[in-house]
Amino acid sequence: MPSDQEYRKPNNKLADWRDSCLHSSFAFYLFLFRCLIYFRAKMNRLLRIFLIVVLLALSFMLAVWLNNDHSYTHGHRYAELSIVAGMIPEEQKQSIISKFNGSSPLPPCPPTPPGLEGPLRIEFEWSRSMSDVRNSSRENLQEGGRYKPLDCIAQHKVAVIIPYRNRKDHLKHWLYYLHPILKRQQVDYGVYVINQHGEGTFNRAKLLNVGYVESLKEYAYDCFVFSDVDLVPMDDRNLYRCHGEPRHMAVAMDKFGFQMPYKNYFGGVVALSRVQYMRINGFPNNYWGWGAEDDDMHKRITLKGMAVSRPDSRLGMYKMVRHLRDTHNEVNPQNPGQLHNTAKTMNSDGINSLIYSLIKIEKDELYTMIDVDIHAPN
């Protein structure tokens, strides 16, 4: 990005040229005025009239120029705004732009979004195409699945992070429902699909750590919602935002009869603020295959003196896209045994020990796909 000085340089040249012309015009104006005074006795009446007309014309031109200079100043200020736009808080930016536009600044979005619908009818229609999803969801979306409310300033900057491999149909349903829900919730959000490259053993938790790191390279998110691709909320009042404590959102899945499978369950969809996430050193990296990484997260939270918050079972209902167990994501019988060592390993196994190789990043209009090699065992 060009420096502030590089942006200013063309404007300074224009300003110097304008000032030089202005000074020269004043000098010429004074020269004619002195000629009129000193040589008036030697001038005939016609020449004196001509000089007076010239002086009046110059006076008018200078007045017009100074007036136009006032307009230029506003334009210059707009140019300066574009330079510093990325360095000031969103609230101040909107306020400054609104002042120059002559409009009122955008208000902060209310704590309870006004457009929520409540309970939703969720149907996974297999005839639904990705084209259908794009047509229904693309309105006001920015490249990479980014969105900001148009009528207020969002109070929550949320990265929604999805661990992924070979789940196109599930992703299609998730995008179809979640984009409209998140828009109604007035969230400043981005959707990041973290694809595990290759056919090695799947590692959900490590992919979530990758999503945390990569999303922060793009935007200053302050909240992270980690969601399985096969879970869709059945009530849009279950807000995708962070709270004072780590949030378990998927508390009543249809898979479990709309009940918690056990007391300390922390799977499916969870939300952590940046501070909460770093306090527990993120997710563990050493849970290969299916199982126990979410229990490890619950232990990390409690070991750091935090509690898990949850919506009630009515708001926290989720519908799961049914599917068979993925190849290379079979239940790993060794994973539960690691839970006995969480207190010893959590400070060394997590975001501070994350190692991966970035393959590529693709910007779809509905999401950002991040393809990574997490060095999985075969």
Side-chain angles (χ1 to χ4, degrees):
M1 179 178 178
S3 67
D4 186 34
Q5 289 75 18
E6 290 173 323
Y7 272 116
R8 290 173 182 269
K9 191 173 181 181
N11 288 331
N12 282 340
K13 284 186 175 180
L14 182 60
D16 293 342
W17 176 83
R18 184 191 67 238
D19 292 341
S20 297
C21 292
L22 195 60
H23 294 156
S24 300
S25 300
F26 271 121
F28 185 59
Y29 180 92
L30 291 174
F31 172 75
L32 290 178
F33 184 77
R34 288 177 179 177
C35 288
L36 182 62
I37 298 298
Y38 292 142
F39 300 107
R40 64 182 183 278
K42 298 181 181 181
M43 295 180 187
N44 58 38
R45 184 168 177 272
L46 185 61
L47 183 57
R48 285 200 301 271
I49 292 173
F50 173 76
L51 286 176
I52 290 171
V53 170
V54 170
L55 287 172
L56 290 174
L58 282 173
S59 299
F60 176 76
M61 291 172 63
L62 287 172
V64 172
W65 198 340
L66 289 172
N67 183 61
N68 286 339
D69 180 57
H70 177 72
S71 298
Y72 166 82
T73 302
H74 282 289
H76 181 70
R77 287 174 181 169
Y78 272 113
E80 293 302 308
L81 275 177
S82 68
I83 296 171
V84 301
M87 300 185 292
I88 60 177
E90 186 68 24
E91 296 83 356
Q92 294 182 25
K93 186 193 308 182
Q94 293 295 338
S95 177
I96 293 170
I97 293 173
S98 298
K99 286 179 181 178
F100 282 108
N101 286 337
S103 60
S104 300
L106 289 176
C109 296
T112 302
L116 300 180
E117 298 178 1
L120 305 172
R121 182 180 178 85
I122 307 298
E123 299 291 344
F124 302 128
E125 299 177 7
W126 295 104
S127 61
R128 182 181 294 138
S129 68
M130 185 57 80
S131 178
D132 296 331
V133 177
R134 296 185 193 284
N135 291 335
S136 66
S137 304
R138 64 161 52 105
E139 184 177 6
N140 298 324
L141 279 181
Q142 303 170 22
E143 184 184 47
R146 291 279 288 113
Y147 174 82
K148 293 182 181 182
L150 301 180
D151 55 353
C152 62
I153 299 174
Q155 302 303 291
H156 305 272
K157 299 176 181 178
V158 180
V160 185
I161 298 172
I162 301 172
Y164 179 87
R165 186 169 63 183
N166 301 328
R167 294 285 196 90
K168 290 184 178 180
D169 286 333
H170 297 170
L171 180 62
K172 173 182 63 178
H173 296 306
W174 190 96
L175 294 167
Y176 179 79
Y177 284 109
L178 264 296
H179 273 304
I181 289 173
L182 293 170
K183 290 177 185 179
R184 291 197 297 272
Q185 293 184 358
Q186 296 181 316
V187 182
D188 177 356
Y189 73 89
V191 175
Y192 297 87
V193 180
I194 316 303
N195 180 65
Q196 180 171 328
H197 189 81
E199 297 299 326
T201 304
F202 195 69
N203 190 324
R204 174 181 180 270
K206 192 171 185 179
L207 292 173
L208 295 177
N209 280 338
V210 172
Y212 175 87
V213 172
E214 291 295 327
S215 64
L216 280 176
K217 292 179 182 178
E218 295 195 344
Y219 192 59
Y221 294 106
D222 52 29
C223 177
F224 302 84
V225 174
F226 304 96
S227 174
D228 288 344
V229 72
D230 55 7
L231 289 174
V232 174
M234 301 178 68
D235 195 312
D236 61 3
R237 294 172 296 177
N238 189 4
L239 301 177
Y240 275 55
R241 62 177 61 168
C242 288
H243 297 73
E245 301 285 353
R247 186 79 162 177
H248 180 216
M249 303 177 68
V251 300
M253 299 183 200
D254 61 342
K255 172 184 178 180
F256 300 126
F258 297 108
Q259 301 179 56
M260 288 269 289
Y262 49 91
K263 180 181 177 181
N264 293 333
Y265 181 62
F266 194 69
V269 184
V270 300
L272 293 95
S273 71
R274 191 168 179 175
V275 172
Q276 294 162 0
Y277 178 93
M278 293 304 297
R279 188 173 175 183
I280 63 173
N281 196 23
F283 287 82
N285 295 313
N286 292 325
Y287 284 81
W288 298 95
W290 189 91
E293 82 286 343
D294 47 1
D295 297 323
D296 189 287
M297 282 294 285
H298 189 276
K299 292 195 68 173
R300 289 174 180 235
I301 291 167
T302 56
L303 286 168
K304 288 297 182 178
M306 294 184 286
V308 173
S309 67
R310 292 183 172 93
D312 62 45
S313 59
R314 181 171 50 90
L315 294 185
M317 295 174 66
Y318 276 77
K319 191 168 185 177
M320 175 181 281
V321 184
R322 299 295 181 179
H323 59 90
L324 299 175
R325 175 76 60 209
D326 301 323
T327 304
H328 304 298
N329 190 30
E330 294 82 6
V331 174
N332 186 342
Q334 297 179 358
N335 282 353
Q338 297 190 61
L339 295 173
H340 301 297
N341 299 315
T342 301
K344 298 178 182 178
T345 61
M346 65 178 294
N347 292 327
S348 58
D349 175 24
I351 193 65
N352 63 356
S353 62
L354 177 65
I355 298 175
Y356 67 95
S357 300
L358 180 63
I359 305 299
K360 62 180 177 180
I361 298 177
E362 295 181 349
K363 294 286 186 179
D364 188 273
E365 60 183 329
L366 301 181
Y367 57 88
T368 297
M369 177 73 76
I370 301 177
D371 190 26
V372 292
D373 181 359
I374 58 172
H375 313 299
N378 294 321

